[in-house]
Amino acid sequence: TSTLTQQDVADIGFAAQQGVDYLCVSHVKSVHDIIATKEMLEFQTATFHHMQRQRNTSYDLSAHDHHQEPNTHMFRTAAQGRSVHNLLSNCDDHSHIKILAKIENYACVPQIAEIVSESDGVLIDHVSL
């Protein structure tokens, strides 16, 4: 299972908003850490892009009944009614951020081939090993 903390989720969200090129996952213990990071990054990026599109949507109130407000809760409603897959498919670019696995202990050695395969790059902290 993954060991993503709330701080990790917040940091992944920040990286998604900033459009960084690389995200380094420290203290990788298994391939599940990389998979969970990728999934969270894709979700956070798609959510950010979706919210940006909602903010950039302008409403022509002259075409609507002036007694009705535009649907400002569209994102919340849409997110509740759609699967993550549908949300991701509407995102223009959610896969450009590369994931680097930082190997800092022997716990991941039994899964090193899977970690290397799932990651876009690997950093070895030889001092910690």
Side-chain angles (χ1 to χ4, degrees):
T1 62
S2 171
T3 57
L4 288 180
T5 65
Q6 288 182 340
Q7 185 62 50
D8 293 333
V9 172
D11 292 343
I12 291 168
F14 179 77
Q17 291 176 11
Q18 300 303 309
V20 300
D21 294 324
Y22 295 93
L23 183 64
C24 186
V25 182
S26 296
H27 304 286
V28 173
K29 293 180 182 64
S30 76
V31 70
H32 299 292
D33 294 334
I34 303 302
I35 292 169
T37 300
K38 282 183 169 183
E39 289 173 351
M40 182 56 64
L41 179 62
E42 288 177 354
F43 178 76
Q44 294 276 11
T45 303
T47 301
F48 174 71
H49 284 290
H50 184 76
M51 287 173 39
Q52 288 295 100
R53 282 194 299 273
Q54 292 302 317
R55 276 186 237 166
N56 294 334
T57 301
S58 60
Y59 294 96
D60 181 5
L61 293 180
S62 63
H64 300 289
D65 180 0
H66 290 286
H67 300 289
Q68 291 182 333
E69 292 292 318
N71 183 3
T72 57
H73 302 289
M74 185 182 266
F75 172 71
R76 184 182 60 173
T77 304
Q80 290 170 347
R82 284 194 230 175
S83 68
V84 173
H85 174 73
N86 289 339
L87 189 61
L88 292 175
S89 68
N90 290 327
C91 179
D92 297 330
D93 183 16
H94 65 272
S95 61
H96 75 279
I97 300 175
K98 304 298 181 200
I99 303 294
L100 304 177
K102 187 172 182 188
I103 308 302
E104 300 178 71
N105 57 55
Y106 289 105
C108 66
V109 171
Q111 294 188 23
I112 195 71
E114 292 90 354
I115 292 169
V116 170
S117 177
E118 192 66 36
S119 304
D120 296 304
V122 176
L123 301 170
I124 306 291
D125 184 356
H126 69 282
V127 176
S128 297
L129 295 174

